[in-house]
């Protein structure tokens, strides 16, 4: 039989699942001998049982009886005892912190009789009536569902009639009157009296906390934070202590290190003669923690000592709530404290240097998301006045300032002149790539988080804000207007915040990321010796050092990041490669620590000035015409690959053969139709456009994503893939001639059946042999395939017979597995799906393990079963997503590939994932 | 160690895989004591070993030595023995018949010496030299790769110089001269002499037969016939017998029953003084088999007796090749004979009545494809002159004649007047549905076998020809023209053949299918007693009965079909339901034996005059506007369901909630853009069209197949699905009031995650409860889901927690599993893929078992694991495809659903599949 109630002295910190975070830590502190007010915890099991059945389990009632009796015995008074009442708080406490999401009721045990006893005992009638009115309003709104505003209104009315400004000015008599009013409100709203029975108050409050697990705001919070819905909350029943009994009382919050910067030393706030809720409510300004040292040095010293105990015990930065009741210190709560990204890295490495934790543990305590935060430039918070003109979707983080350019050519031109540029477009398309590369930031008025602009910008690490619907981009007038009258002309300065979606007129000052510079300088080697000098610093370090340390903040942070990155690389099993299509990106990726290129897309190589040649390939009327156009592309393609292979000398470069449908290189059907029809209507028929339109119509597809793409194209358009293979081979041969070590790998996209792949492989081997013979060098590179269709995954055991490597294209795999295209559906229904809990997160951001993940796992497993040395990686955008990286580690992929800017994040998470996997498998 | 050679006396008919069909049957006949010329068979193992390594296995050479020596000993002469040569034929013979695809060499053993011996022994120099020149040309072209036309040219030259018309007029001397010429050609073409060594001839011929397995034409044939590429061929070495030794010799082909009609009695052709190849070449007219009875009654009687023996032995109609050499009958080949569809049914039931086989076996011997053939009307082959004007793709079989109508309204109008109509369109879209229903046949100038026209026509059983590119459909002039000058005006009569793709001007006479009428009259009950009267007919039946039987042909065929259908229904495990969207289709399906409706699509219910209301639903600016439009649709929807549920009284009707994207109900983006732009250019802006265009743009999707469809739509457009559920509920309530037994089931399309389904289910249960309360009746119908996305299949175990039934939508599942859309890719690359062997057949026609099938099997299994009584069916087009039906039986689905016209075919194949499954599992 389940046990539903644990005394604080019975639990420990490991029981977060059963006792909730707060309950487990109260138990832990109790067992450490710290001054915790006595009490007990009702388990999450009890909550779940109640939520499932709508009934309190019978055993729960009995166990509460027993524990309450013990508490009363220990405290020497009974709950609500008229002459000397024991009062308790009833607080929620789930496994994962959900601040402010669930209910709390304080001062349980007060009623019309015991309030008088409390007044007598405390010798403070005002305090007693104030406590009672707080109970009535909290209980009324939380347990009895009375609209909270009725209590607030009554309080305001009383202040008005008493002609006072604040609550504290109200007298005991005022508050006694307010209690009567509150009791009246409860009768009016519920038809019943406020329950005078203390035990009834307690039971009702507990059930109300249980129920608060399923309020809409709690559910929404859990969805956002990805906390499972079926955990339930524990309930902590704790004897009340009061910080509002006079100037020898007070309440405070403190941290064992600075959670903002990671500085050593204690930090906190204290409020004299106050209760915890006053601190939260911000009614009075708090004082620094040292104020307690001045008024009550004994309690202060005791607190410092407890902080040391707690940090040593939890081996981490702790966040503590405490109360001083008439000079007696009580600990109300502690937990491992939240912190900023910079603090996370610094504290982790400090603790290593202090000998508290090892580097494995330090690595576990930082996240890729925190590293990413440190890598983006940010607007200076103290940068003075900003003119916010509009807000859109935060698509790619960072802070960018530059001259607004309304087309890619302008952006490229200005950037060439050394100007920072913000590329402003309604939406972007592949032709904007040059502009996006040239720009510091990208701003669009349309599209969602996975629009072309967003995806490409994230890939390139460009700051990007999309879907700023308030912006009217007028390409004729070369200006932007907003409904509020803001007006930006092309060439004016704009600032965009890719972490908030804000768009500012003018230049907002930016702080660059020193972490990025450090990572680029020395991805996995630098700063190796410097951390030893910190090893002597132990936890006894005094506050006097703090000022001196300030100057070293920067260096300390960078060193912390570098040490943890080195350790991640040391423990990792999976490698990290980059998705990079240009020599510049390849160089950058390499500097960021990429161990090769996992995806070099070739489609952008067919754009720009080459578009006309590609058009001739498509419109060719004969094999000769097509071949001649392809021949023109050959030297250009060879140069593309020369640059990338050179930048990645000695490392693998996986080149994906052309993937998109050819008609993407042709004009848009609707635009061209309009052009032709209008010319016709005006009596000036445009024959050239008409001819082109016929071809565009012929190549038009209802669902291009499901059309003539990838290997289908390669098998249907003679010579196309082999042009690319030849260009790769010739480039590699040239580099070998120069004494380099080029390692291209050829990847066939969108394979569904082994026979498709086998044909391309055979042709490619033959092309490689031809070029090798022509140039007199050995050329044999691995030839593998994307696994991006469920059909390929289901037949991976066959495909691995032929393919020399697999690379999961998880974007396309997500599209086909779910049957929706990112472009079409994200804006249309993803927000609604996330709101209604169907998605916890977009499956394009984090891999859907249950569906797509299952398919990927089957293919990885069966592929390796067929070919033991099959290299299996992933090159979809999920390769840079922390949660997805942990899944890929769990199914033992060989590498993940992501955009260059995400490489450090992926390296960090790959290392963490390995530790996690080891934690799971060691026993 | 493998054994590579078997004497004819060592094998039997079960060894087709090893000995090939021909070799196995020669062995079987030998063991039956029939007069087979002695010989031996080289196994397919030997062929595979040779093709794999390019080398004859050493053991093969030894074994051939041994068997050849035994043969020579038995025949009393040696291969090519100068004074009395043993000659042999070398014939290919694979497991599955590949007529004319592989090589044969006759008269092996002749050379410059032995030809003289043969002349002396046969006392027929002309015969000997004719045999030798045949060897030279066959060996030269087949084994030595000499262009066959060189031999043909030399023969023609000789005939010219000899001034004769036919080969038989050439004298022995002419032929001796021809031999010299042929030998010269071989030297010229190969640089070597024709091999005079008989054993060398034999070995080379065997290897040439092996190699002929992999000629292009053989590979192409195998792809078409879906014969695996890795079987290889056996080679039969058989001592030569000659039918061309004079008038006491001859050769023939015969059948134990008429393969065209199934009539009892022997049928065959005989050619006096001829060799088998002359019969095939059609050089002389053959005589009926009875001719042999006149010239050689002994051989004839022996042949009749052998035919009886063979039919009794094979328990089926046999096809026999024989030769009479100077009055001695020799059996050269036998096999179970091919036959027409009608013969297949008649012969199967005859054999049951004759006590030879049981009904299970009769069912195994007919196919759904044969039944389908019998169900289509056909053009009368003797119907006189036809004017063929063009040929397209045969999209839906049958023969249709009617007045050409160029739009649906005209088709509907003329059909209402009682005229047969051929609907002629460039291509069809959902708005053409009324016209297609009204028409007898559908003809389009664009589109492939799975275009809208083709799919819908097949679904409705309408004859359809698509992609007739030669047709210029001129909608303004209301006429069709072809490049050849044919000209058809609207209203002229057209005839289209959906089995050949032919289009004729005028009316070609049609023969209706009596089988369809019979199936409709009595799907599973009629004709129950009549077959007993045939039971007395035994195999001894004489030919005199044939004429009397002719009159009963028709009735016998229909009875045979009905008996086999009844048996299929008796043995089947899977049920057959129909895909039907109208009361008419539902009635028809029920008459064809459907046990319910597996898919009632609702999209067509939103077209036609309702399009305007649907437009208001889409363009609604407020919930009120949308609700008011939905309210208008409610009574219309209710009437839709009333008709269908009434037609299917007492049987399940699975209604699929709306699936296609809403914008399919809006005008086409490009057309509307052109309209707006042209109006604008002409200075007459069309504001209404502009407003509509904005909405069309807003709803436009790049990939509608992967867009806002199905459950996504239902979850996003409030009230839409519940309008449909309410209409179903109200219709069911009304029918219950009338005392009927409506059994609607509600099916949610395009579910990817159980949460999507659960939300719709909860809403639907609530709507059902509402309607039940309003109308005072109990309404609780099963609510289930399509499984048509890989995501749904991979999480079927979760979805089955909520869903009360599954129905596999294998069309969409094929699209997403392969990542291609039927509409976009079929025309573009399927032909190429089938040609290059990537597809054996379109995966939209026959389920791709390795990919889609694996996913379907996982889902079916895991769904039933979660919910033991889960009903699992399939409603994609594969539900009517024989091969796919056998797969669905193998994974134990509960039913298949197909178009009404396919229901009998599916019933037949479901029964056959059950027998096949039983064969596989019994041991």
């Amino acid at each position: 039989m389940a046990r539903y109630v644990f005394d604080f002295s019975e639990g420990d910190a490991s029981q977060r699942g059963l006792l909730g975070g707060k309950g487990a830590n109260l138990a832990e502190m109790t067992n450490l001998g710290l001054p915790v007010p006595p009490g007990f915890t009702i388990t999450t099991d009890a909550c779940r049982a109640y939520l499932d059945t709508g009934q309190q389990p019978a055993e729960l009632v009995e166990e509460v009886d027993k524990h309450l009796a013990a508490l009363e015995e220990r405290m020497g008074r009974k709950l609500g005892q008229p002459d000397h009442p024991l009062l308790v708080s009833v607080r929620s406490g789930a496994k994962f912190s959900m601040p402010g999401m669930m209910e709390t009721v304080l001062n349980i045990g007060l009623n019309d009789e015991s309030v008088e006893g409390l007044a007598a005992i405390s010798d403070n009638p005002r305090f007693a009536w104030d406590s009672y009115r707080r109970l009535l309003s909290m209980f009324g709104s939380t347990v009895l569902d009375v609209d909270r505003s009725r209590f607030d209104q009554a309080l305001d009315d009383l202040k008005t009639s008493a002609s006072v400004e604040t609550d504290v000015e109200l007298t005991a008599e005022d508050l006694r009157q307010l209690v009567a009013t509150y009791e009246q409100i409860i009768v009016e709203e519920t038809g019943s009296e406020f329950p005078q029975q203390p035990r009834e108050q307690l039971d009702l409050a507990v059930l109300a906390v249980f129920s608060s697990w399923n309020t809409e705001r709690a559910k929404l919070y859990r969805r956002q934070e990805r906390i499972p819905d079926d955990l339930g909350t524990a309930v902590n029943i704790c004897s009340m202590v009061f910080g509002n009994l006079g100037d020898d009382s007070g309440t405070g919050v403190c941290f064992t290190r600075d959670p903002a910067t990671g500085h050593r030393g204690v930090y906190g706030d204290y409020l004299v003669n106050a209760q915890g809720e006053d601190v939260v409510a911000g009614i009075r300004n708090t004082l620094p923690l040292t104020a307690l040292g001045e008024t009550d040095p004994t309690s202060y010293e005791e607190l410092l000592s407890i902080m040391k105990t707690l940090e040593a015990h939890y081996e981490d930065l702790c966040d503590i709530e405490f109360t001083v009741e008439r000079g007696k210190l009580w600990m109300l709560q502690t937990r491992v404290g939240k912190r900023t990204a910079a603090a996370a890295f610094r504290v982790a490495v400090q603790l290593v240097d202090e000998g508290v934790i090892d580097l494995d543990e330090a690595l576990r305590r930082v996240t890729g998301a925190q590293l990413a935060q440190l890598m983006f430039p940010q607007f200076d918070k103290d940068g003075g006045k900003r003119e916010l003109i509009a807000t859109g979707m935060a698509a790619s983080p960072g802070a960018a300032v530059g001259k607004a350019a309304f087309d890619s050519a302008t952006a490229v031109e200005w950037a060439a002149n050394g100007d920072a540029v913000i590329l402003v477009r309604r939406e972007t398309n592949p032709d904007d790539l040059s502009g996006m590369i040239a720009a510091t930031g990208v701003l669009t008025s349309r599209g969602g988080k996975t629009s072309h602009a967003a995806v490409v910008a994230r890939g390139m690490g460009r700051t990007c804000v999309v879907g700023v619907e308030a912006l009217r981009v007028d390409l004729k007038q070369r200006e932007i207007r907003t409904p509020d009258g803001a007006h930006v002309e092309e060439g004016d300065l704009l600032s965009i915040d890719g972490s908030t979606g804000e768009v500012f007129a003018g230049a907002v000052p930016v702080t660059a990321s020193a972490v990025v510079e450090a990572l680029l300088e020395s991805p996995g080697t630098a700063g190796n010796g410097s951390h030893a000098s910190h090893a002597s610093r132990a936890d006894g370090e005094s506050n006097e050092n703090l000022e001196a340390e300030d100057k070293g903040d920067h260096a300390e942070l960078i060193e912390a990041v570098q040490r943890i990155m080195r350790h991640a690389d040391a423990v990792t099993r999976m490698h990290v490669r980059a998705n990079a299509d240009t020599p510049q990106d390849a160089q950058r990726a390499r500097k960021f620590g990429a161990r090769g290129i996992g995806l070099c897309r070739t489609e952008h190589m067919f754009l720009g000035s080459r578009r006309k040649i590609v058009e001739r390939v498509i419109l060719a009327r004969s094999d000769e015409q097509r071949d001649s156009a392809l021949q023109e592309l050959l030297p250009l393609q060879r140069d593309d690959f020369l640059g990338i292979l050179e930048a990645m000398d000695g490392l693998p470069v996986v080149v994906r053969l052309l993937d998109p449908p050819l008609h993407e290189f042709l004009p848009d059907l609707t635009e061209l139709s309009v052009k032709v029809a209008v010319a016709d209507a005006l009596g000036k028929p445009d024959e050239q456009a008409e001819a082109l339109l016929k071809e565009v119509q012929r190549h038009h597809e209802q669902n291009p994503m499901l059309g003539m793409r990838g290997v289908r194209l390669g098998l249907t358009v003679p010579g196309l893939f082999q042009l690319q293979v030849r260009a790769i081979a010739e480039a590699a041969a040239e580099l070998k001639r120069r004494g380099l070590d080029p390692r291209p790998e050829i990847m066939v996209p969108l394979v569904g059946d082994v026979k498709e792949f086998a044909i391309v492989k055979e042709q490619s081997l033959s092309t490689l042999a031809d070029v090798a013979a022509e140039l007199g060098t050995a050329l044999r590179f691995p030839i593998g395939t994307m696994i991006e269709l469920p059909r390929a995954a289901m037949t991976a055991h066959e495909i691995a017979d032929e393919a020399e490597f697999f690379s999961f294209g998880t974007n396309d795999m997500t599209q086909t597995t779910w049957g929706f295209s990112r472009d079409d559906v994200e804006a249309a229904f993803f927000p609604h799906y996330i709101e209604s809990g169907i998605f916890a997160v977009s499956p394009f951001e984090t891999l859907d393990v249950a569906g797509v993940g299952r398919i990927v796992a089957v293919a990885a497993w069966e592929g390796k079963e067929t070919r033991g040395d099959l290299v299996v990686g992933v090159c979809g955008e999920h390769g840079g997503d922390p949660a997805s990286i942990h899944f890929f580690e769990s199914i033992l992929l060989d590498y993940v590939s992501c955009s260059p800017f995400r490489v450090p994040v992926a390296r960090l998470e790959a290392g963490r994932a390995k530790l996690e996997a080891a934690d799971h498998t060691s026993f």
Side-chain angles (χ1 to χ4, degrees), chain A:
Chain A
M1 205 186 72
R3 183 178 161 194
Y4 288 126
V5 183
F6 287 74
D7 192 86
F8 290 166
S9 61
E10 294 176 314
D12 66 58
S14 71
Q15 294 175 294
R16 288 162 52 96
L18 186 66
L19 305 179
K22 185 180 290 172
N25 286 324
L26 283 169
E28 192 77 10
M29 287 198 289
T30 301
N31 291 327
L32 284 171
L34 303 187
V36 175
F40 53 87
T41 301
I42 300 176
T43 66
T44 55
D45 283 345
C47 175
R48 282 192 298 267
Y50 174 70
L51 293 178
D52 283 353
T53 62
Q55 302 254 319
Q56 253 194 111
E59 303 88 337
L60 173 60
V61 180
E62 285 169 30
E63 290 185 52
V64 170
D65 282 347
K66 207 181 73 188
H67 282 84
L68 181 60
L71 181 64
E72 288 172 334
E73 169 135 8
R74 177 156 174 205
M75 302 300 285
R77 45 204 160 115
K78 292 199 175 296
L79 184 69
Q81 182 178 318
D83 59 342
H84 190 179
L86 167 65
L87 303 186
V88 297
S89 62
V90 175
R91 291 175 199 265
S92 63
K95 178 172 181 185
F96 302 105
S97 171
M98 294 170 60
M101 284 303 124
M102 289 181 302
E103 303 298 355
T104 287
V105 184
L106 304 180
N107 304 335
I108 292 277
L110 281 179
N111 57 20
D112 295 348
E113 281 184 275
S114 64
V115 65
E116 305 281 6
L118 182 65
I121 292 292
S122 65
D123 197 18
N124 189 337
R126 189 195 173 283
F127 154 71
W129 288 102
D130 188 48
S131 299
Y132 194 24
R133 69 98 185 169
R134 287 175 193 258
L135 169 63
L136 286 170
S137 65
M138 272 192 275
F139 195 96
S141 57
T142 299
V143 183
L144 304 177
D145 245 356
V146 176
D147 185 352
R148 192 179 295 265
S149 66
R150 287 216 59 185
F151 299 114
D152 296 345
Q153 187 59 48
L155 177 60
D156 285 348
D157 291 348
L158 179 66
K159 284 195 283 190
T160 309
S161 71
S163 306
V164 301
E165 288 287 316
T166 64
D167 301 0
V168 290
E169 296 169 74
L170 294 171
T171 63
E173 193 47 42
D174 290 337
L175 292 166
R176 182 199 291 269
Q177 189 187 324
L178 187 62
V179 162
T181 309
Y182 277 11
E183 289 185 333
Q184 186 56 33
I185 288 173
I186 288 173
V187 170
E188 284 171 22
E189 293 284 330
T190 68
S192 311
E193 303 276 344
F194 168 74
Q196 293 289 322
Q197 254 307 324
R199 179 59 201 271
E200 188 185 354
Q201 292 171 9
L202 177 64
D203 287 346
L204 289 174
V206 167
L207 299 187
V209 171
F210 284 164
S211 299
S212 69
W213 176 257
N214 277 333
T215 58
E216 282 310 309
R217 62 178 183 167
K219 287 200 256 185
L220 185 65
Y221 182 87
R222 286 198 294 272
R223 277 202 292 275
Q224 284 165 348
E225 299 294 315
R226 301 164 77 167
I227 298 172
D229 260 340
D230 58 359
L231 298 178
T233 182
V235 182
N236 301 291
I237 316 291
C238 186
S239 43
M240 290 291 300
V241 293
F242 298 95
N244 54 346
L245 277 173
D247 288 347
D248 56 352
S249 303
T251 192
V253 173
C254 59
F255 298 89
T256 59
R257 306 191 185 217
D258 187 339
T261 64
H263 272 174
R264 288 180 182 79
V266 297
Y267 292 81
D269 300 310
Y270 185 65
L271 203 54
V272 177
N273 193 11
Q275 272 199 309
E277 49 178 345
D278 297 331
V279 181
V280 177
I283 291 170
R284 282 179 286 159
N285 287 333
T286 56
L287 303 171
L289 197 59
T290 42
L292 177 63
E294 285 157 28
T295 58
D296 184 351
T298 315
S299 293
Y300 182 65
E301 286 306 322
E302 187 182 357
L303 179 62
L304 288 185
S305 152
I306 286 174
M307 283 165 79
K308 233 181 247 178
T309 305
L310 284 175
E311 197 180 86
H313 186 73
Y314 284 98
E315 301 181 343
D316 203 351
L317 182 159
C318 291
D319 161 350
I320 294 161
E321 290 176 25
F322 65 93
T323 281
V324 179
E325 186 187 65
R326 289 182 172 158
K328 163 71 180 155
L329 176 69
W330 292 101
M331 306 305 294
L332 298 190
Q333 179 166 348
T334 192
R335 61 185 172 198
V336 169
K338 305 212 162 171
R339 65 205 75 182
T340 64
F345 278 88
R346 292 185 60 189
V347 168
V349 170
Q350 283 165 14
L351 292 170
V352 172
D353 289 340
E354 290 161 17
V356 179
I357 61 174
D358 62 11
L359 269 168
D360 278 0
E361 182 59 24
L363 178 55
R364 284 190 195 95
R365 290 191 183 176
V366 295
T367 67
Q370 288 168 333
L371 180 61
Q373 262 188 315
L374 294 177
M375 290 177 67
F376 290 112
Q378 295 185 316
F379 286 126
D380 189 347
K381 277 178 190 148
D382 311 316
K385 195 168 154 282
R386 309 158 166 210
E387 188 194 343
L388 179 70
I389 60 170
T391 302
M393 271 182 267
S396 177
V401 179
K403 288 165 73 171
F406 287 12
D407 59 50
S408 283
T410 308
V412 170
E413 186 193 326
W414 290 353
N417 292 338
D419 286 329
V421 175
I422 305 289
L423 178 66
V424 183
R425 303 282 291 159
R426 284 207 193 123
E427 56 209 335
T428 64
N429 63 51
D431 272 335
D432 289 317
L433 206 71
S434 58
M436 296 180 76
I437 291 170
T440 305
V442 179
L443 172 62
T444 70
S445 57
R446 296 196 193 151
K449 279 195 169 185
T450 51
S451 61
H452 178 268
V455 171
V456 174
R458 276 201 296 276
M460 299 194 304
R462 293 291 177 281
T463 298
C464 181
V465 173
V466 298
V468 192
E469 295 188 355
L471 293 187
R472 298 289 133 74
V473 181
D474 185 334
L475 288 176
K476 282 185 195 152
Q477 299 294 322
R478 311 301 279 184
E479 62 176 23
I480 305 170
R481 291 187 175 278
T482 71
D484 303 337
H487 173 216
V488 178
E489 292 190 18
E490 184 162 38
D492 287 355
L493 285 172
L494 270 184
S495 302
I496 62 174
D497 188 329
S499 308
T500 64
E502 290 167 313
V503 181
F504 304 98
V508 177
V510 168
T511 314
S513 165
V515 169
V516 165
E517 299 309 317
L519 287 168
L520 279 173
E521 278 164 18
S522 51
T525 51
N528 217 351
S530 61
H531 69 280
S533 62
H534 291 279
S536 59
R537 292 186 194 163
D539 30 357
E541 210 165 11
S542 72
N543 285 3
E544 291 91 301
N545 289 339
L546 286 177
E547 198 165 315
E549 282 225 339
D550 264 2
K551 294 170 191 152
D553 269 13
H554 212 64
E556 190 186 334
L557 171 61
I558 284 170
E559 195 214 308
V561 169
Q562 286 175 330
R563 282 177 65 189
I564 290 183
M565 290 304 290
R566 276 197 304 277
H567 191 65
D569 289 345
V571 301
T572 199
R573 187 194 57 78
M574 278 197 300
H575 288 177
V576 176
R577 296 186 187 177
N579 301 344
D581 315 338
T582 64
Q584 295 74 30
D585 272 1
Q587 277 156 9
R588 192 178 195 203
R590 185 167 199 155
K591 284 190 182 167
F592 270 137
R595 302 273 291 262
I597 290 183
L599 175 64
C600 171
R601 300 176 203 84
T602 54
E603 32 271 26
H604 76 97
M605 301 172 185
F606 289 77
L607 294 174
S609 57
R610 303 180 193 175
R611 198 178 256 276
K612 281 283 153 200
I613 313 179
V614 176
E615 220 171 87
R616 281 172 39 216
V617 173
I618 305 171
L619 305 184
R621 292 269 166 216
S622 68
D623 287 353
E624 291 69 33
Q625 284 181 11
R626 190 187 314 105
D627 286 347
S628 120
L630 288 172
Q631 279 308 315
E632 268 182 69
L633 285 171
L634 178 60
L636 305 171
Q637 274 271 282
R638 187 175 50 224
D639 286 351
D640 297 330
F641 296 128
L642 265 178
I644 292 168
L645 289 171
E646 188 172 8
M648 277 285 160
D649 184 41
L651 293 176
V653 174
V654 177
V655 178
R656 181 176 71 183
L657 302 181
L658 194 67
D659 183 44
L662 279 190
H663 65 77
E664 285 199 6
F665 302 97
L666 293 176
D668 176 74
L669 171 66
T670 298
E671 281 174 28
L672 192 59
S673 299
V674 165
K675 183 177 168 187
V676 165
V678 168
D680 208 42
L682 297 176
K684 296 174 194 160
D686 179 343
E687 280 180 23
Q688 208 183 341
E690 278 170 33
L692 188 58
L693 177 58
K694 283 217 178 100
E695 289 300 319
V696 170
Q697 283 169 334
R698 199 164 67 86
H699 285 89
H700 184 68
E701 294 181 316
Q702 289 300 317
N703 299 280
M705 196 73 78
L706 301 177
M708 272 287 279
R709 299 169 48 197
V711 69
R712 298 163 200 163
L713 195 67
L715 290 175
T716 312
V717 179
L720 181 64
F721 274 7
Q722 295 320 307
L723 151 78
Q724 297 197 291
V725 172
R726 174 168 277 273
I728 294 165
E730 291 183 1
E734 165 66 17
L735 292 175
K736 284 180 73 177
R737 205 185 53 74
R738 294 194 215 153
L740 299 185
D741 177 19
R743 300 195 180 177
E745 309 193 357
I746 293 163
M747 182 157 73
V748 185
L750 219 70
V751 164
D753 188 280
V754 64
K755 297 192 210 78
E756 294 174 305
F757 177 80
I759 294 171
V760 176
K761 183 184 176 190
E762 192 184 326
Q763 291 170 349
S764 302
L765 288 175
S766 152
T767 300
L768 290 180
D770 287 352
V771 177
E774 288 163 23
L775 303 180
T777 180
L779 296 171
R780 175 66 174 89
F781 310 120
I783 303 175
T785 182
M786 299 277 283
I787 301 285
E788 52 188 335
L789 296 175
R791 179 62 167 58
M794 290 296 116
T795 58
H797 50 295
E798 290 172 17
I799 294 177
D801 265 337
E802 293 282 341
E804 291 162 328
F805 61 85
F806 279 1
S807 179
F808 289 103
T810 51
N811 301 2
D812 264 285
M813 189 69 95
T814 299
Q815 296 195 146
T816 47
T817 300
W818 280 93
F820 46 54
S821 108
R822 197 166 66 172
D823 293 345
D824 291 307
V825 299
E826 182 167 68
F829 75 88
F830 273 30
H832 179 69
Y833 265 38
I834 288 174
E835 209 174 285
S836 36
I838 298 170
F839 291 158
V841 59
S842 160
F844 291 113
E845 281 180 35
T846 293
L847 194 86
D848 154 42
V849 169
V852 182
R854 181 173 176 184
I855 288 176
V856 166
V858 165
W861 179 261
E862 297 186 1
K864 291 206 175 206
E865 215 170 34
T866 296
R867 186 184 283 258
D869 61 352
L870 188 79
V871 175
V872 181
V874 60
C875 65
E877 273 196 81
H878 299 103
D881 170 68
S884 309
I885 289 171
H886 285 244
F887 172 71
F888 297 135
E889 168 65 36
S890 78
I891 60 168
L892 301 175
L893 296 199
D894 297 299
Y895 68 87
V896 294
S897 188
C898 58
S899 59
F901 201 73
R902 294 293 288 182
V903 165
V905 171
R907 284 165 52 207
L908 184 75
E909 289 291 354
R912 297 184 71 232
K914 179 61 173 65
L915 292 182
E916 185 186 68
D919 292 347
H920 286 167
T921 53
S922 67
F923 43 93

